C-alpha cells in the first residue's frame, strides 16, 4: 500500500489549493481550473486505495499514522480510519471533484481563489474524518470554517454578509463549548488521544455536562431543530459549489461527531438523554417537512429538506442499534449525493435564469428534457424511492426505530408522505407545465460538462440504491463495536 | 430456473433502457421493436416455461444477490415462483404485450413515442419484480417502482395542467398507503426478525396469540395490527375507499396505460399482495372483516358514481374501482382464489374495454364525452363487437368470463360466516344491478342511437388500424372464455397449492366446491339466485333509459337533483382532501415557518440573544465614560468596599 496515504489525502489538496492561490490572478484562470481539476481527481484516486485496502473484518483503526506533535501537552498528529469514517472520506473526495467541475464556467471572478479555497477545504474535511487526536480534530474542524466563510462571503448572493455572520456565529459558538469539553477531558485523562478517552471513567453529572457541550457543537453543524435556522440562509446565499459542500459534507460532521465522540466517550449520558435526542430528531422530521412544503425558494426548500433528512441520522444514532447506526451512516452518504445533486440542479437553472424562485419557472421539461430526467431521478431519491440511495438509510432507520418503539417508527415514516409532497410539488411547479415565460422558452439543455457531473451523481445514487451492500459491508465491524461501547457503562 | 426468472424481468428492463436512453438515436420503429421483443420474450417464457413448471407442482424460492446486510438482518433480492406468481406473470406479460402492440397505433403521432415505450416496458419490469418477489423488501421495491412509472405515465403529457396535477395526486395518495405498508413491514421485522416470506409465514402461526400495546391500557392482536397496516398499503395501490381518489384522475394519462396500469395490472397489486399474505390474514378475522367491509362499500359506492360520468374513460375507471372492491371483498372472506380469479378475468375484459374506448377516442379525434358520440356501431364493427364482449363480461352475463368470477365472489361472501358478511353480500348484490346499468349505458350511448358528433368528425369516422384491432380481438377471446376454462382448475383444482393458505374453518371455496358439478350446472344454478336477474334488469334499464326513452335520464337527474349532485361530486372526497389535507398541510407549514422559525427561533432566540448582548454592552459602555474623575471615584469606592469586606469577614 501507499505509505502515509491518509496524510497524502489531506495535504495534497491543501498543497494544491495553496499552489493555485499562488498561480494568481484571473489572467490565468484556465490554468487554475485545470490545476484544481487535476488535484481533485488525484485526491479522489488516492482515496480509492483506502476502500480497496480496507479490512472490513476488524473494528480497529486502519492506515494509522502517529507522530508527536506538541509533546508538552501530549498532542499527537494521529490519523486513522475505520468503517465509519471511510465512507465519509470517499464522499468528500468524490464531491470535491464534482464541485470543481460544477464551478468550471460559472465562476469568472477570482477563479484561482475560488478553486484554491475549495481544495484547501477538501483537505481539511478529510482531516476531520481521519483525526484520532482531539486537538488535531479540533484544528481541522475550525480551520474548515474559514474557507467556507470566504466562499459564501465573496462569491455569495446579495445578502451574503448576514448569512456568513449567522453561519459563523452559530457554528463557532457550538465549537467553543466543544473545546471546553475537550480540555476538561484532557485534564482527566492527560491525553488528547480519542481512543484513550473511550476508556476514561466519568461520573454521570460530568457526562451530562460534557454531552451538552458536545451536543451544541454537533447539533448546530448537522443541524438539529431548533438550532437549524442558519442553514437555509447560508444555502440561499452560498454559490452552488458552496451549497454542495455544505450539504454534502459539512452537515455530516455533526453526525460523525456524535458517533466518534458523544456515544463512545459519554455512553451513560447518551443513553440518559436519548429521549431528548429522539424527540428533537422526530420534531425535525415532521416540523421541517411541513416548513419545506411552503418554501418559495428552491434552495431554501432543499435546505429544509436536508434538515429533515438529517433528523433520520440523529434518530438512527440515538436508538443504539446496529440497524439504526448503519442506517444513519448510509443516510449521511446518500444525502451527500442527493442533496448535492439537487443543489447542482438548482445551480444549472440559476446559471441560466438567475432566479431561484419556484414561481419563475414552469415548463422546463419542454426545453431541457435531459435535465428534467436527471432532476426526476434526484427528486425521487430525495423522496426515498426504493432503488435509489435515498431509500436505504431511511428504510433501515425506520425499521430500527419501529423496533425500539413503534411510535418512533410511525412518526418517522410520515416523511414518506411529506418528503414526497414537498419534493414532487416543487418538481411539478418547476419542471412540468407549459413554458409560459419567454425566459424559460429560451432555456438550453445541459452541456456535456453539466451532464458529466449529474451523470456521476446519478450513477452513485442508483448504484447504492440497487446494491448498498458494498457500502454497508465496510461499516459492520466498526458499528458493532460502537454499539457495544454505547451499551457499556463508564460510571466511576 | 433462476436463469429463466432473471431473464423474464431483465428482458423488459433491457427494452426500457435501450428505448429510454437511446430512443432518440435508434428511432421510433427500433424503439417499439426492442421493447416489444423484450416483453414478448417475457411472455413466452412465462407461459411456456414458468407456468407449466409450477402447474406440475414445482416451486422455486431462491435469492439472486444480497442487497444488504445490517445487524442480524440480511436482505436479498430473490424470486418466489409458485402458481400464484406464475399466473400473475402470465397475465401481466400478456396484457402488457397487447398494450405494447396497441400503442404503436395509439401513440403514432405523439412526440414522446420512444419515452412512452420505455416507460411501459419499465412498468412491466417493475410489476414482474413485484409479483416474483420472495421477500417484503423486494415487494416494496416493485410496489414503489410501479408507482413511479404510474406517476410518470399519468403525467406523460407534462404540459397539460390536469395531467401533472393528477400524477402528483396519484403519487401522494399512494404514499399515504405506503406509509401503512412500510410500518407493516417494520412491524414484521420487529416481531419476526426477518423479511423473508417463507420464514415469516412459518413463524406466523406461533405468533397468532401475541398481543401488542400500542397505547397504554389497550392491547391489540399483533396479527391484526400487521394485517391492517399492510392493508393500508393495498388500499392505496388498489384504490379502496378512502384512498381511491387518485384512480379516476389517473385517466389523464394515455389510454393504453389506463388499460395496462390502471385496470389490468398495477391496481391489482394490492389484491395480489393480500393473497400472497394469506398465511398472515388467515390469523386475523378482525382484519379480514375490515377488508371485507371496505371492499364491499367501494364496490357499490363507486359503481353509483360510474352511472353519472360522461367521460368514457372515467366510466370505466369508476367501474375498475367497483370491481376492485369485489376482489377486496373476496379477500375478506378468505376466498383468495376467487379474488385472483376475478383479477385475471377482470384484467382481460377491463383491458379490452379500455383499449376499445381508446379505439373510439382515436376515431373521435380525442373526444371522450359519451354525450357527443352515438351510432358508432356502423363505423367501427370490430371495436363495437369487442366492446360488447367486454360489457357482457363486466356485467356478469353467462358464459362470459366475468360472470364466473363475480358469481363465485358473491357465492363466497354469501357462504361466509365472518363479521360483516351478510351486509357485504347485499351491498355487492345491489352493485350487480348498477354495474350492468352503467356498462350498458356507456355501450348504448357510444354505439347506438343517432350520431351526436360534429360533421367533420363524422365524415372521418373509420375503424382503427390493425395494430389496434388485433390486440382487441386477442383480448376479447380470453375475456369471453377465460371464465369457463379457468374456473375449475383455479378454484376447485388445487391450482394454487401451498401458495395460498386458508384455515379450514373459513374455507368457503371448498364448501362451494362440493356443490360444483361443471360449467353447465354452475350456469343453471346461477338462475336460482338474484344476481343474474339483477344484471339482466340493469341491462334492460339501460336499454329503456338510453335507447327507448332517451329523455328520461335528464328528467330523473332533475327530479333527484340532490342525489345527482352528490354523485357528480363523487361524494366530496376531493374537496375534503383538498381543503383539509392539502390546505391544512400548507397552513401548518406556513405557521411553523413564520411563527416557529422566523419569529420564535430567529426573532426571539437568535435575535434576542443578539439584542441582549447589545443591550448589556450598551450599558457597559456608559461605564467607560473617558472622564478621569469617574474612574478615580470608582477606584476609591471600590477600595472602600473591599476594605470593609475584608475587615468584617
Amino acid at each position: 500500500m501507499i505509505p502515509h496515504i491518509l496524510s497524502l489525502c489531506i495535504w495534497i489538496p491543501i498543497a494544491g489549493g495553496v499552489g493555485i492561490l499562488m498561480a494568481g490572478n484571473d489572467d490565468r484562470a484556465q490554468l487554475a481550473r485545470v490545476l484544481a481539476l487535476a488535484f481533485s481527481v488525484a485526491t479522489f484516486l488516492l482515496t480509492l486505495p483506502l476502500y480497496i485496502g480496507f479490512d472490513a473484518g476488524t473494528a480497529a483503526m486502519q492506515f494509522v499514522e502517529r507522530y508527536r506533535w506538541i509533546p508538552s501537552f501530549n498532542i499527537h498528529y494521529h490519523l486513522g480510519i475505520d468503517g465509519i469514517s471511510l465512507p465519509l472520506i470517499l464522499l468528500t473526495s468524490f464531491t470535491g471533484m464534482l464541485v470543481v467541475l460544477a464551478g468550471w464556467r460559472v465562476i469568472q471572478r477570482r477563479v484561482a481563489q475560488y478553486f484554491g479555497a475549495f481544495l484547501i477545504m477538501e483537505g481539511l474535511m478529510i482531516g476531520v474524518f481521519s483525526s484520532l487526536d482531539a486537538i488535531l480534530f479540533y484544528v481541522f474542524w475550525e480551520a474548515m470554517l474559514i474557507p467556507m466563510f470566504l466562499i459564501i462571503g465573496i462569491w455569495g448572493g446579495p445578502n451574503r454578509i448576514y448569512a456568513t455572520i449567522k453561519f459563523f456565529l452559530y457554528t463557532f459558538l457550538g465549537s467553543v463549548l466543544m473545546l471546553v469539553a475537550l480540555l476538561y477531558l484532557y485534564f482527566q485523562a492527560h491525553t488528547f488521544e480519542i481512543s484513550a478517552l473511550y476508556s476514561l471513567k466519568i461520573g454521570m453529572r460530568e457526562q451530562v455536562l460534557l454531552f451538552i457541550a458536545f451536543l451544541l457543537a454537533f447539533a448546530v453543524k448537522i443541524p438539529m431543530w431548533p438550532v437549524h435556522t442558519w442553514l437555509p440562509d447560508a444555502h440561499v446565499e452560498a454559490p452552488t459549489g458552496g451549497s454542495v459542500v455544505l450539504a454534502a459534507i459539512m452537515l455530516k460532521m455533526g453526525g460523525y461527531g456524535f458517533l466518534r465522540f458523544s456515544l463512545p466517550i459519554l455512553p451513560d449520558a447518551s443513553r440518559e438523554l436519548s429521549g431528548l435526542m429522539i424527540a428533537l430528531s422526530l420534531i425535525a422530521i415532521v416540523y421541517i417537512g411541513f416548513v419545506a412544503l411552503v418554501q418559495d425558494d428552491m434552495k431554501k426548500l432543499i435546505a429544509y429538506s436536508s434538515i429533515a433528512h438529517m433528523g433520520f441520522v440523529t434518530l438512527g444514532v440515538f436508538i443504539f442499534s446496529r440497524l439504526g447506526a448503519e442506517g444513519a451512516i448510509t443516510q449521511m452518504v446518500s444525502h451527500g449525493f442527493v442533496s448535492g445533486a439537487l443543489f447542482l440542479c438548482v445551480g444549472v437553472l440559476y446559471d441560466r435564469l438567475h432566479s431561484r424562485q419556484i414561481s419563475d419557472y414552469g415548463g422546463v421539461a419542454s426545453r431541457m428534457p435531459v435535465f428534467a430526467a436527471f432532476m426526476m431521478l434526484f427528486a425521487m431519491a430525495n423522496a426515498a424511492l426504493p432503488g435509489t440511495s435515498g431509500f436505504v438509510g431511511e428504510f433501515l432507520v425506520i425499521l430500527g426505530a419501529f423496533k425500539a418503539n413503534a411510535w418512533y417508527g410511525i412518526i418517522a415514516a410520515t416523511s414518506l408522505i411529506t418528503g414526497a409532497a414537498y419534493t414532487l410539488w416543487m418538481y411539478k411547479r418547476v419542471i412540468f407545465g407549459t413554458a409560459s415565460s419567454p425566459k424559460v422558452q429560451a432555456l438550453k439543455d445541459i452541456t456535456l460538462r453539466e451532464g458529466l457531473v449529474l451523470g456521476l451523481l446519478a450513477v452513485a445514487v442508483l448504484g447504492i440504491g440497487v446494491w448498498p451492500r458494498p457500502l454497508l459491508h465496510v461499516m459492520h465491524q466498526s458499528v458493532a463495536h460502537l454499539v457495544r461501547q454505547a451499551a457499556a457503562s463508564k460510571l466511576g | 430456473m433462476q436463469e429463466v426468472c432473471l431473464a423474464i424481468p431483465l428482458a423488459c428492463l433491457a427494452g426500457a433502457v435501450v428505448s429510454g436512453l437511446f430512443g432518440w438515436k435508434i428511432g421510433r420503429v427500433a424503439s417499439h421493436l426492442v421493447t416489444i421483443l423484450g416483453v414478448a420474450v417475457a411472455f413466452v417464457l412465462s407461459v411456456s416455461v414458468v407456468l407449466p413448471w409450477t402447474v406440475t407442482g414445482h416451486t422455486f424460492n431462491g435469492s439472486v444477490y444480497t442487497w444488504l446486510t445490517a445487524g442480524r438482518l440480511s436482505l436479498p433480492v430473490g424470486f418466489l415462483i409458485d402458481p400464484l406468481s406464475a399466473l400473475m406473470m402470465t397475465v401481466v406479460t400478456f396484457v402488457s404485450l397487447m398494450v405494447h402492440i396497441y400503442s404503436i397505433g395509439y401513440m403514432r403521432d405523439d412526440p414522446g413515442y420512444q419515452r412512452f415505450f420505455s416507460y411501459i416496458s419499465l412498468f412491466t419490469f417493475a410489476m414482474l419484480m413485484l409479483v416474483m418477489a420472495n421477500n417484503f423488501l423486494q415487494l416494496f421495491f416493485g410496489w414503489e417502482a410501479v408507482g413511479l412509472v404510474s406517476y410518470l405515465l399519468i403525467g406523460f403529457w407534462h404540459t397539460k395542467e390536469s395531467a401533472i396535477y393528477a400524477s402528483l395526486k396519484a403519487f401522494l395518495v399512494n404514499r399515504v398507503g405506503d406509509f401503512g405498508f412500510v410500518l407493516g413491514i417494520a412491524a414484521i421485522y420487529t416481531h419476526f426478525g426477518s423479511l423473508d416470506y417463507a420464514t415469516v409465514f412459518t413463524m406466523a402461526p406461533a405468533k397468532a396469540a401475541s398481543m401488542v400495546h400500542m397505547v397504554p391500557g389497550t392491547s391489540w392482536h399483533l396479527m391484526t395490527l400487521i394485517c391492517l397496516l399492510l392493508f393500508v398499503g393495498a388500499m392505496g395501490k388498489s384504490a379502496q375507499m378512502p384512498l381511491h381518489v387518485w384512480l379516476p384522475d389517473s385517466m389523464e394519462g394515455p389510454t393504453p396505460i389506463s388499460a395496462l396500469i390502471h385496470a389490468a395490472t398495477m391496481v391489482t397489486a394490492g389484491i395480489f399482495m393480500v393473497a400472497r399474505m394469506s398465511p398472515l390474514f388467515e390469523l386475523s378475522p378482525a382484519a379480514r372483516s375490515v377488508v371485507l367491509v371496505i371492499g364491499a362499500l367501494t364496490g357499490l359506492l363507486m359503481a353509483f358514481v360510474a352511472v353519472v360520468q360522461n367521460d368514457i374513460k372515467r366510466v370505466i375507471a369508476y367501474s375498475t374501482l367497483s370491481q376492485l372492491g369485489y376482489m377486496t371483498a373476496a379477500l375478506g372472506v378468505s376466498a383468495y382464489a376467487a379474488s385472483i380469479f376475478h383479477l385475471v378475468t377482470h384484467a382481460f375484459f377491463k383491458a379490452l374495454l379500455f383499449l376499445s374506448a381508446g379505439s373510439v377516442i382515436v376515431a373521435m379525434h380525442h373526444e371522450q364525452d359519451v354525450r357527443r358520440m352515438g351510432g358508432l356501431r356502423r363505423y367501427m364493427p370490430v371495436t363495437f363487437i369487442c366492446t360488447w364482449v367486454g360489457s357482457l363480461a363486466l356485467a356478469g352475463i353467462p358464459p362470459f368470463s366475468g360472470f364466473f368470477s363475480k358469481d363465485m365472489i358473491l357465492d363466497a361472501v354469501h357462504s361466509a360466516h365472518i363479521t360483516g358478511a351478510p351486509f357485504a353480500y347485499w351491498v355487492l348484490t345491489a352493485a350487480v344491478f348498477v354495474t350492468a346499468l352503467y356498462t350498458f349505458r356507456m355501450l348504448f350511448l357510444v354505439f347506438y342511437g343517432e350520431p351526436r358528433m360534429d360533421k367533420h368528425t363524422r365524415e372521418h369516422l373509420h375503424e382503427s388500424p390493425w395494430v389496434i384491432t388485433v390486440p382487441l380481438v386477442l383480448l376479447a377471446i380470453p375475456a369471453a372464455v377465460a371464465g369457463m376454462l379457468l374456473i375449475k382448475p383455479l378454484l376447485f383444482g388445487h391450482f394454487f397449492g401451498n401458495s395460498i393458505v386458508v384455515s379450514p374453518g373459513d374455507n368457503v371455496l371448498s364448501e362451494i366446491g362440493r356443490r360444483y358439478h361443471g360449467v353447465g350446472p354452475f350456469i343453471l344454478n346461477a338462475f336460482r339466485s338474484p344476481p343474474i336477474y339483477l344484471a339482466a334488469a340493469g341491462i334492460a334499464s339501460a336499454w329503456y333509459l338510453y335507447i327507448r326513452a332517451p329523455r328520461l335520464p335528464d328528467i330523473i337527474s332533475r327530479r333527484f337533483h340532490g342525489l345527482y349532485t352528490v354523485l357528480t361530486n363523487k361524494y366530496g372526497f376531493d374537496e375534503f382532501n383538498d381543503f383539509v389535507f392539502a390546505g391544512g398541510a400548507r397552513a401548518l407549514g406556513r405557521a411553523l415557518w413564520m411563527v416557529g422559525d422566523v419569529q420564535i427561533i430567529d426573532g426571539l432566540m437568535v435575535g434576542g440573544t443578539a439584542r441582549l448582548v447589545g443591550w448589556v454592552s450598551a450599558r457597559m459602555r456608559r461605564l467607560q465614560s473617558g472622564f478621569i474623575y469617574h474612574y478615580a471615584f470608582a477606584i476609591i469606592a471600590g477600595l472602600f468596599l473591599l476594605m470593609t469586606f475584608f475587615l468584617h469577614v
Side-chain angles (χ1 to χ4, degrees), chain B residues 383-400:
Chain B
T383 307
F384 171 60
I385 293 167
C386 289
T387 309
W388 255 105
V389 173
S391 301
L392 289 169
L394 173 56
I397 302 298
F400 292 91

mmCIF file of all heavy atoms in Angstrom, chain B residues 383-400:
data_model
loop_
_atom_site.group_PDB
_atom_site.id
_atom_site.type_symbol
_atom_site.label_atom_id
_atom_site.label_comp_id
_atom_site.label_asym_id
_atom_site.label_seq_id
_atom_site.Cartn_x
_atom_site.Cartn_y
_atom_site.Cartn_z
ATOM 1 N N THR B 383 -64.374 -2.840 -33.100
ATOM 2 C CA THR B 383 -64.389 -2.213 -31.788
ATOM 3 C C THR B 383 -65.752 -2.436 -31.118
ATOM 4 O O THR B 383 -65.841 -2.703 -29.911
ATOM 5 C CB THR B 383 -64.124 -0.706 -31.925
ATOM 6 O OG1 THR B 383 -62.936 -0.524 -32.676
ATOM 7 C CG2 THR B 383 -63.967 -0.051 -30.570
ATOM 8 N N PHE B 384 -66.791 -2.328 -31.926
ATOM 9 C CA PHE B 384 -68.154 -2.490 -31.418
ATOM 10 C C PHE B 384 -68.357 -3.889 -30.819
ATOM 11 O O PHE B 384 -68.807 -4.037 -29.675
ATOM 12 C CB PHE B 384 -69.124 -2.237 -32.578
ATOM 13 C CG PHE B 384 -70.540 -2.578 -32.284
ATOM 14 C CD1 PHE B 384 -71.214 -1.943 -31.247
ATOM 15 C CD2 PHE B 384 -71.219 -3.529 -33.033
ATOM 16 C CE1 PHE B 384 -72.542 -2.252 -30.976
ATOM 17 C CE2 PHE B 384 -72.534 -3.839 -32.775
ATOM 18 C CZ PHE B 384 -73.204 -3.203 -31.733
ATOM 19 N N ILE B 385 -67.969 -4.910 -31.578
ATOM 20 C CA ILE B 385 -68.165 -6.278 -31.079
ATOM 21 C C ILE B 385 -67.290 -6.526 -29.845
ATOM 22 O O ILE B 385 -67.727 -7.125 -28.857
ATOM 23 C CB ILE B 385 -67.850 -7.297 -32.196
ATOM 24 C CG1 ILE B 385 -68.907 -7.155 -33.283
ATOM 25 C CG2 ILE B 385 -67.801 -8.713 -31.665
ATOM 26 C CD1 ILE B 385 -68.560 -7.856 -34.558
ATOM 27 N N CYS B 386 -66.074 -6.030 -29.885
ATOM 28 C CA CYS B 386 -65.187 -6.221 -28.728
ATOM 29 C C CYS B 386 -65.760 -5.551 -27.486
ATOM 30 O O CYS B 386 -65.672 -6.086 -26.376
ATOM 31 C CB CYS B 386 -63.805 -5.676 -29.038
ATOM 32 S SG CYS B 386 -62.913 -6.689 -30.224
ATOM 33 N N THR B 387 -66.343 -4.361 -27.669
ATOM 34 C CA THR B 387 -66.932 -3.690 -26.523
ATOM 35 C C THR B 387 -68.118 -4.489 -25.981
ATOM 36 O O THR B 387 -68.337 -4.560 -24.766
ATOM 37 C CB THR B 387 -67.385 -2.267 -26.908
ATOM 38 O OG1 THR B 387 -66.309 -1.612 -27.547
ATOM 39 C CG2 THR B 387 -67.806 -1.478 -25.687
ATOM 40 N N TRP B 388 -68.887 -5.065 -26.883
ATOM 41 C CA TRP B 388 -69.985 -5.927 -26.438
ATOM 42 C C TRP B 388 -69.462 -7.069 -25.562
ATOM 43 O O TRP B 388 -70.003 -7.341 -24.491
ATOM 44 C CB TRP B 388 -70.729 -6.521 -27.641
ATOM 45 C CG TRP B 388 -72.062 -5.879 -27.894
ATOM 46 C CD1 TRP B 388 -72.349 -4.993 -28.883
ATOM 47 C CD2 TRP B 388 -73.267 -6.081 -27.151
ATOM 48 N NE1 TRP B 388 -73.670 -4.614 -28.798
ATOM 49 C CE2 TRP B 388 -74.262 -5.268 -27.753
ATOM 50 C CE3 TRP B 388 -73.611 -6.851 -26.039
ATOM 51 C CZ2 TRP B 388 -75.578 -5.205 -27.282
ATOM 52 C CZ3 TRP B 388 -74.924 -6.787 -25.572
ATOM 53 C CH2 TRP B 388 -75.888 -5.973 -26.185
ATOM 54 N N VAL B 389 -68.403 -7.718 -26.037
ATOM 55 C CA VAL B 389 -67.844 -8.833 -25.278
ATOM 56 C C VAL B 389 -67.404 -8.353 -23.893
ATOM 57 O O VAL B 389 -67.744 -8.949 -22.863
ATOM 58 C CB VAL B 389 -66.657 -9.464 -26.042
ATOM 59 C CG1 VAL B 389 -65.961 -10.510 -25.189
ATOM 60 C CG2 VAL B 389 -67.137 -10.060 -27.346
ATOM 61 N N GLY B 390 -66.662 -7.238 -23.902
ATOM 62 C CA GLY B 390 -66.187 -6.716 -22.619
ATOM 63 C C GLY B 390 -67.330 -6.335 -21.702
ATOM 64 O O GLY B 390 -67.298 -6.602 -20.497
ATOM 65 N N SER B 391 -68.381 -5.738 -22.274
ATOM 66 C CA SER B 391 -69.502 -5.291 -21.450
ATOM 67 C C SER B 391 -70.265 -6.469 -20.860
ATOM 68 O O SER B 391 -70.660 -6.439 -19.685
ATOM 69 C CB SER B 391 -70.457 -4.438 -22.291
ATOM 70 O OG SER B 391 -69.774 -3.337 -22.819
ATOM 71 N N LEU B 392 -70.465 -7.489 -21.673
ATOM 72 C CA LEU B 392 -71.159 -8.670 -21.158
ATOM 73 C C LEU B 392 -70.351 -9.322 -20.041
ATOM 74 O O LEU B 392 -70.904 -9.771 -19.025
ATOM 75 C CB LEU B 392 -71.414 -9.674 -22.290
ATOM 76 C CG LEU B 392 -72.475 -9.234 -23.290
ATOM 77 C CD1 LEU B 392 -72.475 -10.146 -24.505
ATOM 78 C CD2 LEU B 392 -73.852 -9.232 -22.634
ATOM 79 N N ALA B 393 -69.030 -9.350 -20.220
ATOM 80 C CA ALA B 393 -68.188 -9.928 -19.178
ATOM 81 C C ALA B 393 -68.271 -9.099 -17.905
ATOM 82 O O ALA B 393 -68.401 -9.622 -16.800
ATOM 83 C CB ALA B 393 -66.748 -10.023 -19.668
ATOM 84 N N LEU B 394 -68.214 -7.778 -18.071
ATOM 85 C CA LEU B 394 -68.255 -6.895 -16.902
ATOM 86 C C LEU B 394 -69.598 -6.988 -16.190
ATOM 87 O O LEU B 394 -69.667 -7.019 -14.958
ATOM 88 C CB LEU B 394 -67.968 -5.451 -17.340
ATOM 89 C CG LEU B 394 -68.110 -4.338 -16.306
ATOM 90 C CD1 LEU B 394 -67.228 -4.622 -15.094
ATOM 91 C CD2 LEU B 394 -67.720 -2.996 -16.891
ATOM 92 N N ALA B 395 -70.657 -7.048 -16.966
ATOM 93 C CA ALA B 395 -71.974 -7.099 -16.340
ATOM 94 C C ALA B 395 -72.247 -8.458 -15.710
ATOM 95 O O ALA B 395 -73.181 -8.599 -14.918
ATOM 96 C CB ALA B 395 -73.056 -6.777 -17.376
ATOM 97 N N GLY B 396 -71.453 -9.458 -16.041
ATOM 98 C CA GLY B 396 -71.620 -10.769 -15.427
ATOM 99 C C GLY B 396 -72.692 -11.608 -16.076
ATOM 100 O O GLY B 396 -73.525 -12.215 -15.402
ATOM 101 N N ILE B 397 -72.703 -11.621 -17.402
ATOM 102 C CA ILE B 397 -73.685 -12.420 -18.135
ATOM 103 C C ILE B 397 -73.019 -13.730 -18.566
ATOM 104 O O ILE B 397 -71.943 -13.689 -19.158
ATOM 105 C CB ILE B 397 -74.166 -11.647 -19.390
ATOM 106 C CG1 ILE B 397 -74.761 -10.296 -18.990
ATOM 107 C CG2 ILE B 397 -75.162 -12.479 -20.189
ATOM 108 C CD1 ILE B 397 -75.979 -10.396 -18.105
ATOM 109 N N PRO B 398 -73.624 -14.868 -18.273
ATOM 110 C CA PRO B 398 -73.018 -16.119 -18.696
ATOM 111 C C PRO B 398 -73.072 -16.243 -20.223
ATOM 112 O O PRO B 398 -74.024 -15.746 -20.830
ATOM 113 C CB PRO B 398 -73.881 -17.195 -18.018
ATOM 114 C CG PRO B 398 -75.189 -16.522 -17.731
ATOM 115 C CD PRO B 398 -74.867 -15.066 -17.524
ATOM 116 N N PRO B 399 -72.121 -16.888 -20.849
ATOM 117 C CA PRO B 399 -70.979 -17.582 -20.265
ATOM 118 C C PRO B 399 -69.701 -16.758 -20.310
ATOM 119 O O PRO B 399 -68.622 -17.324 -20.397
ATOM 120 C CB PRO B 399 -70.853 -18.793 -21.188
ATOM 121 C CG PRO B 399 -71.193 -18.224 -22.537
ATOM 122 C CD PRO B 399 -72.174 -17.095 -22.308
ATOM 123 N N PHE B 400 -69.821 -15.445 -20.289
ATOM 124 C CA PHE B 400 -68.610 -14.625 -20.388
ATOM 125 C C PHE B 400 -67.831 -14.682 -19.073
ATOM 126 O O PHE B 400 -68.395 -14.995 -18.017
ATOM 127 C CB PHE B 400 -68.970 -13.196 -20.781
ATOM 128 C CG PHE B 400 -69.499 -13.133 -22.183
ATOM 129 C CD1 PHE B 400 -70.858 -13.243 -22.437
ATOM 130 C CD2 PHE B 400 -68.625 -12.999 -23.249
ATOM 131 C CE1 PHE B 400 -71.333 -13.209 -23.727
ATOM 132 C CE2 PHE B 400 -69.104 -12.974 -24.551
ATOM 133 C CZ PHE B 400 -70.459 -13.078 -24.795
#
